[in-house]
Amino acid sequence: MASAGAAALARALLAWALVALPLALPQPHGRRKVVEKEASFDTTYADWVDADLLNIYAFNHSVRRNWTEGVRVSVNVLSDHKDLPVLFVVRQKEAVVSFQVPLILRGLYQRKYAYQEVSRTLCQPQTKAEVETQHFYVDVSTLSLNASYQLRVTRVENFVLRTNERFGFNATAAQPQYFKYEFPEGVDSVIVKVTSAMAFPCSVISIQDILCPVYDLDNNVAFIGMYQTMTKKAAITVQKKDFPSNSFYVVVVVKTEDEACGGALPYYPLSKHASPDEPVDQHNRQKMLEVMVSPAITSEAYVSSVLFCLGIFLSFYVLTLVIACWESCRQQKRKGLLAAMDSPSLDTASLLGHARSIPDSFLGRAPYDSYGYGSFGNGSSSSAEGVTDSMGSAEVSYGYVGQEQFKRRTPSAPMRPLSIAMGERSLENVAGRPRLDSLSSIEEDDYDTLADIDYDKNVIRTKQYLCVADLARKDKRVLRKKYQIYFWNIATIAVFYALPVVQLVITYQTVVNVTGNQDICYYNFLCAHPLGNLSAFNNILSNLGYVLLGLLFLLIILQREINYNRALMRNDANALECGIPKHFGLFYAMGTALMMEGLLSACYHVCPNYTNFQFDTSFMYMIAGLCMLKLYQKRHPDINASAYSAYACLALVIFFSVVGVVFGKGNTAFWIIFSVIHIVATLLLSTQLYYMGRWKLDSGILRRILHVLYTDCIRQCSGPMYVDRMVLLVMGNIINWSLAAYGLIVRPNDFASYLLAIGICNLLLYFAFYIIMKLRSGERIKLIPLLCIVGTSVVWGFALFFFFQGLSTWQKTPAESREHNRDCILLDFFDDHDIWHFLSSIAMFGSFLVGAGCRCRGCPLPGPPRLTGSPLPSLRRCC
């Protein structure tokens, strides 16, 4: 009974609510009046509307199947009723476009901007009939008491863009423009170029499919299609396969603010009585632009460009093969001539310890002077490395020739000719063949101690006249293992570094293709040729030279190492007795670094931007560091840095590179800290090089510094003991301190390039010292290595010229970066930066050959042993 009463009460309340609700709603003043007017094009209608009036303008026009004509609706509301705008609705056959005036567009921080004059181009539906008359209606309504407006509908001339013809127009934020382009027969891709003489206001260029509605406002232009911001230049490559209708719209929208293009935010006035939500009138924010659509390159251009790139770098392989064959024939001919001159009498004389009477000039060598190879001059031993017989005495296992002969020498025989020393060496090796170096169970620390005080490192490495033999005393197997670690470490680093890089750039490219946002990647859009999913295939292809030439360098080093090992197996006197210690690990690391530079540079150019810049520079730092280490290792094999410490320092450099780019722009504190670290590191490295590692960084370092200053500068004025090293280090400190001061004062925006410039300057300084000290030591540079050095320098000069063209920069906004874009200059496919890739890969390969190609062909170093100030092998017998 109670439930039945409750149900009856609920029904009564519901009935009362239904009766009372219409009485509670606001009632209109009267029935709305609808006025429909026949309207025509190119006529301005000045009218008014209020809450009780709805104006409808009826238009009709003829549409042809093979001809597209644009229709544009322009309105201007004269009344100032921002809270009660006038609503315009355009009803077409297949689309409806609506907008209010004043048009409110939002900017950064939800700022509002109002526009009283609005123009919109209507979407044009397709027709299958030859000629069809279509009707559309413009409805005008408002909730204000009285609103005056002007309405005008016009036909758009040049709505369809023509190939290779420029068309100029104006656009504002509330008056966007868009045009149609149809692919001609036989054209598969085109490039849309939009230019303007004025950088601001900022605008957006969009490529959209032929669909209704067209997104042509600042708040919706990024919804579909491809788009990019623009100041003075914009270019988008469009492929026919992406548009089933074989046509597309070119949409140009002026943004409400310039912040996206690097401009300043406008002044946002807020009076005492104004509401924070009140929109700001931007008045006439207009931009003049020009658009031109031109055909892009054909598929034949892709094929010819790929063949051109392959032809350039494979020609180095052919040239290397030709030189190798010529060298092999020359060596065979020389061995035949030497064998023909041999006779039993010469062999007997050799066994008796007498020198062979073969003229030195015939062998292509300078006559030896009074110093025998392996003799001591100025208290030093020779730098040649020997291999003892595996069946010989354990007392002299794997020693150097200079040490072995010192043990055999007696006071009554201070010096012996070179031929006698070599003859004795031959007799020692008659019993068997030298065994190859084993890398197992050998640690550097096991052989790093010298038992005799005469060989103590503190005594030897601090001599005033230091020779190569003094710094090449460790067992060759130990050093070989030490320098092979460079290769294995960099190979491991390359694998772990490259895999996430490849995955990341593929993700970047996918995001660009899916979203259509071309502001993500900083291409040279005027010369960006897509292929498949790649947006700039030409920038990736041009990095092929690093990989191919790096591989060629590895093959050259491998062939050299094989020849050297074969020479050891056959007891070749040149390989056993002559030249500086030969280690190939650093060469392998340099070749691997060059290949990885090509791979990572290609990955960077898949989508170059602010977040992946380090992909392109990391292995540049490694190449510069490895080259300096190799130059130093040639004459300082015992004291060169280990692979672990070297790569740790390079990792620190890359860390500072990332931190500098992210936090260094305009950050005074960062530049102060970095400059201090730079100067301190320069001083520490200078001390390490000057004292050949024979110093300690501990709590007593300040006391020792003060003691040296007191004894050498105050108590008595004495010059530096190692003058050559001091000159190099003083020059190095001047250059590095100057670079640190430049960075602290100027604070360059491109910190990565600044850091790379520091490494390159130090590398060039040491290489110059390298060459000068060779000349000072009485060595001469023969024609072929001299031409190699000059040619490489010339190629570097041209490469740097193209590098500094600056076709794009992620230090600016994407729109500002596009102002630097330029057209292709080689085969209509490659731009300036691609040529930089070509030339720099060739220059790096040539630079590697300068260091690696100038080698000692088993010739004993005549005269006194070479000083460490001459870091390269003797060029008198090299190259």
Side-chain angles (χ1 to χ4, degrees):
M1 196 71 178
S3 60
L9 179 60
R11 287 194 295 270
L13 290 175
L14 178 60
W16 177 82
L18 292 175
V19 172
L21 181 60
L23 299 177
L25 294 175
Q27 299 298 314
H29 298 291
R31 186 174 181 181
R32 170 168 284 191
K33 181 180 178 181
V34 178
V35 178
E36 184 171 344
K37 304 176 183 179
E38 291 291 333
S40 59
F41 286 82
D42 300 321
T43 301
T44 302
Y45 295 93
D47 213 335
W48 62 275
V49 69
D50 60 17
D52 298 326
L53 179 63
L54 173 62
N55 290 333
I56 301 177
Y57 299 85
F59 296 86
N60 64 80
H61 67 121
S62 298
V63 179
R64 288 178 286 178
R65 184 173 57 187
N66 298 326
W67 176 257
T68 304
E69 187 178 52
V71 176
R72 191 167 180 83
V73 178
S74 302
V75 298
N76 182 17
V77 174
L78 305 177
S79 304
D80 188 14
H81 298 290
K82 296 180 180 180
D83 295 335
L84 299 172
V86 179
L87 180 64
F88 294 84
V89 179
V90 182
R91 293 178 287 123
Q92 296 178 264
K93 178 181 178 180
E94 297 179 2
V96 175
V97 179
S98 63
F99 54 90
Q100 69 176 40
V101 182
L103 180 64
I104 306 298
L105 297 176
R106 293 185 180 270
L108 199 63
Y109 309 118
Q110 296 299 313
R111 296 183 177 189
K112 294 181 180 180
Y113 300 96
Y115 301 91
Q116 296 293 123
E117 297 184 20
V118 180
S119 295
R120 304 290 297 276
T121 302
L122 303 184
C123 182
Q124 297 302 304
Q126 300 293 324
T127 180
K128 296 181 179 180
E130 190 67 29
V131 179
E132 179 184 354
T133 301
Q134 294 186 355
H135 300 269
F136 65 92
Y137 304 90
V138 180
D139 302 346
V140 184
S141 61
T142 186
L143 293 180
S144 65
L145 298 178
N146 192 341
S148 300
Y149 63 89
Q150 293 179 346
L151 171 67
R152 183 180 178 87
V153 177
T154 58
R155 291 180 173 87
V156 180
E157 297 181 2
N158 300 316
F159 180 71
V160 179
L161 299 174
R162 296 181 177 88
T163 305
N164 289 327
E165 290 187 13
R166 291 184 177 274
F167 176 68
F169 59 93
N170 296 336
T172 68
Q175 298 174 348
Q177 297 268 18
Y178 67 86
F179 306 93
K180 183 180 180 181
Y181 181 80
E182 298 175 351
F183 283 94
E185 290 294 331
V187 176
D188 295 327
S189 63
V190 295
I191 179 169
V192 180
K193 301 178 182 179
V194 184
T195 58
S196 176
M198 50 199 303
F200 298 105
C202 178
S203 56
V204 177
I205 311 303
S206 174
I207 304 297
Q208 301 180 18
D209 202 355
I210 305 297
L211 297 173
C212 295
V214 178
Y215 296 93
D216 59 349
L217 291 177
D218 185 23
N219 56 7
N220 62 17
V221 69
F223 285 179
I224 64 171
M226 300 178 290
Y227 64 93
Q228 57 184 231
T229 54
M230 169 193 166
T231 51
K232 291 184 177 182
K233 289 182 183 179
I236 300 179
T237 300
V238 185
Q239 294 179 289
K240 188 176 183 178
K241 65 180 181 63
D242 297 330
F243 296 91
S245 62
N246 295 335
S247 57
F248 58 87
Y249 285 136
V250 180
V251 184
V252 180
V253 178
V254 175
K255 294 184 70 66
T256 58
E257 296 173 342
D258 297 331
E259 189 270 341
C261 294
L265 286 172
Y267 176 63
Y268 198 67
L270 290 175
S271 61
K272 231 181 240 187
H273 305 288
S275 170
D277 294 331
E278 184 177 352
V280 176
D281 188 358
Q282 287 193 312
H283 304 290
N284 189 23
R285 184 177 167 83
Q286 181 174 285
K287 187 167 188 174
M288 300 177 62
L289 305 103
E290 284 187 348
V291 60
M292 185 179 72
V293 183
S294 56
I297 62 173
T298 61
S299 57
E300 290 78 9
Y302 279 84
V303 175
S304 61
S305 300
V306 171
L307 293 178
F308 171 80
C309 185
L310 289 174
I312 287 179
F313 298 112
L314 291 181
S315 63
F316 283 88
Y317 283 77
V318 176
L319 181 62
T320 303
L321 183 61
V322 171
I323 294 176
C325 293
W326 175 78
E327 179 71 14
S328 177
C329 294
R330 194 172 70 90
Q331 291 292 338
Q332 293 295 334
K333 183 178 179 181
R334 182 179 179 184
K335 288 181 179 179
L337 292 175
L338 290 175
M341 295 184 64
D342 285 338
S343 64
S345 60
L346 291 176
D347 295 336
T348 305
S350 177
L351 290 174
L352 293 175
H354 301 289
R356 295 183 178 184
S357 58
I358 301 175
D360 291 327
S361 59
F362 175 81
L363 298 176
R365 304 175 183 175
Y368 306 124
D369 55 4
S370 58
Y371 287 93
Y373 183 68
S375 64
F376 276 71
N378 293 333
S380 299
S381 62
S382 169
S383 63
E385 180 182 25
V387 179
T388 61
D389 182 13
S390 59
M391 299 177 62
S393 172
E395 180 182 353
V396 286
S397 61
Y398 291 89
Y400 289 100
V401 173
Q403 304 173 19
E404 193 174 16
Q405 291 178 351
F406 177 76
K407 294 178 181 179
R408 295 194 298 264
R409 182 172 291 110
T410 60
S412 61
M415 293 182 183
R416 284 175 289 180
L418 172 66
S419 57
I420 297 177
M422 294 179 66
E424 292 175 357
R425 187 65 180 169
S426 300
L427 284 174
E428 294 176 19
N429 291 326
V430 168
R433 301 172 65 88
R435 59 188 175 95
L436 293 176
D437 300 331
S438 173
L439 299 181
S440 60
S441 304
I442 299 177
E443 295 297 336
E444 184 179 354
D445 294 339
D446 297 339
Y447 293 85
D448 200 26
T449 57
L450 298 173
D452 199 300
I453 189 61
D454 295 331
Y455 296 95
D456 186 81
K457 290 182 287 187
N458 290 323
V459 175
I460 293 176
R461 296 180 188 175
T462 55
K463 294 189 300 183
Q464 183 174 4
Y465 299 103
L466 193 61
C467 300
V468 174
D470 298 325
L471 300 175
R473 306 172 65 83
K474 295 181 182 178
D475 191 288
K476 58 185 283 185
R477 295 175 300 166
V478 177
L479 294 181
R480 183 181 180 188
K481 180 181 179 181
K482 173 182 178 180
Y483 291 118
Q484 279 189 341
I485 294 176
Y486 274 95
F487 167 69
W488 293 112
N489 278 9
I490 200 170
T492 305
I493 292 170
V495 172
F496 282 94
Y497 197 99
L499 290 178
V501 167
V502 172
Q503 182 180 6
L504 180 62
V505 297
I506 290 175
T507 303
Y508 271 122
Q509 185 66 74
T510 303
V511 171
V512 172
N513 296 338
V514 171
T515 64
N517 182 7
Q518 298 201 353
D519 283 354
I520 297 177
C521 305
Y522 287 72
Y523 303 116
N524 175 19
F525 287 91
L526 291 177
C527 187
H529 304 297
L531 181 66
N533 291 326
L534 300 174
S535 299
F537 173 70
N538 55 304
N539 293 148
I540 299 172
L541 176 64
S542 59
N543 288 282
L544 185 63
Y546 296 107
V547 179
L548 292 180
L549 295 181
L551 178 60
L552 178 59
F553 183 74
L554 289 179
L555 294 176
I556 292 173
I557 297 302
L558 178 62
Q559 185 265 345
R560 180 180 300 179
E561 185 177 18
I562 291 174
N563 289 345
Y564 178 67
N565 289 335
R566 288 175 178 174
L568 293 180
M569 291 292 295
R570 64 174 180 265
N571 289 334
D572 191 313
N574 287 339
L576 292 172
E577 307 291 347
C578 304
I580 62 175
K582 296 174 180 62
H583 305 290
F584 302 95
L586 268 170
F587 283 136
Y588 286 121
M590 290 163 60
T592 304
L594 184 58
M595 294 180 65
M596 287 306 302
E597 171 59 29
L599 175 62
L600 293 180
S601 178
C603 291
Y604 167 75
H605 284 92
V606 169
C607 182
N609 58 38
Y610 171 81
T611 58
N612 61 6
F613 72 96
Q614 68 272 15
F615 303 161
D616 193 30
T617 57
S618 296
F619 275 82
M620 288 185 183
Y621 302 136
M622 288 196 174
I623 289 173
L626 290 173
C627 287
M628 282 190 282
L629 287 171
K630 186 57 188 177
L631 291 180
Y632 193 74
Q633 180 257 341
K634 280 181 174 291
R635 293 297 171 121
H636 309 79
D638 285 3
I639 62 173
N640 205 13
S642 66
Y644 306 110
S645 58
Y647 288 130
C649 293
L650 291 173
L652 190 62
V653 171
I654 296 174
F655 169 77
F656 274 109
S657 174
V658 175
V659 173
V661 171
V662 176
F663 302 105
K665 191 173 182 179
N667 191 335
T668 305
F670 167 80
W671 281 101
I672 293 175
I673 294 173
F674 175 77
S675 300
V676 171
I677 293 176
H678 183 191
I679 293 173
V680 171
T682 302
L683 292 175
L684 293 177
L685 182 61
S686 301
T687 307
Q688 176 75 13
L689 295 178
Y690 186 76
Y691 289 106
M692 293 294 175
R694 309 318 301 160
W695 70 290
K696 292 182 179 180
L697 183 62
D698 52 19
S699 58
I701 184 68
L702 293 178
R703 177 178 55 81
R704 292 195 295 272
I705 292 175
L706 294 176
H707 176 72
V708 170
L709 291 176
Y710 173 75
T711 55
D712 293 353
C713 299
I714 299 177
R715 190 172 180 179
Q716 62 177 6
C717 186
S718 59
M721 180 178 293
Y722 316 110
V723 179
D724 294 334
R725 269 181 265 166
M726 179 60 72
V727 172
L728 167 67
L729 296 175
V730 168
M731 293 178 61
N733 277 268
I734 292 175
I735 292 176
N736 280 277
W737 288 42
S738 301
L739 289 171
Y742 171 81
L744 186 60
I745 297 172
V746 179
R747 301 174 198 166
N749 291 330
D750 192 353
F751 181 79
S753 297
Y754 166 76
L755 198 58
L756 185 61
I758 293 176
I760 292 176
C761 287
N762 283 276
L763 175 60
L764 293 178
L765 173 65
Y766 187 65
F767 183 74
F769 177 78
Y770 190 101
I771 298 297
I772 292 172
M773 292 307 300
K774 289 188 67 61
L775 299 176
R776 269 198 77 213
S777 300
E779 304 176 14
R780 62 187 180 89
I781 304 177
K782 296 193 72 174
L783 180 61
I784 293 179
L786 181 61
L787 291 177
C788 186
I789 294 173
V790 173
T792 301
S793 302
V794 171
V795 175
W796 268 122
F798 282 105
L800 292 175
F801 169 78
F802 287 103
F803 174 77
F804 287 113
Q805 295 304 305
L807 302 181
S808 61
T809 172
W810 41 260
Q811 296 292 333
K812 300 179 180 178
T813 62
E816 291 174 311
S817 172
R818 275 185 279 273
E819 293 183 17
H820 303 280
N821 290 176
R822 295 182 186 176
D823 292 322
C824 304
I825 62 174
L826 180 62
L827 302 178
D828 289 330
F829 191 83
F830 299 109
D831 59 16
D832 299 73
H833 198 74
D834 295 325
I835 298 178
W836 149 255
H837 288 160
F838 290 146
L839 296 180
S840 62
S841 61
I842 296 172
M844 285 186 185
F845 179 70
S847 301
F848 287 2
L849 291 183
V850 169
C854 295
R855 59 188 177 93
C856 192
R857 294 180 183 156
C859 52
L861 303 182
R866 294 301 188 258
L867 300 179
T868 57
S870 176
L872 275 175
S874 174
L875 292 181
R876 194 181 310 180
R877 297 282 179 262
C878 300
C879 301

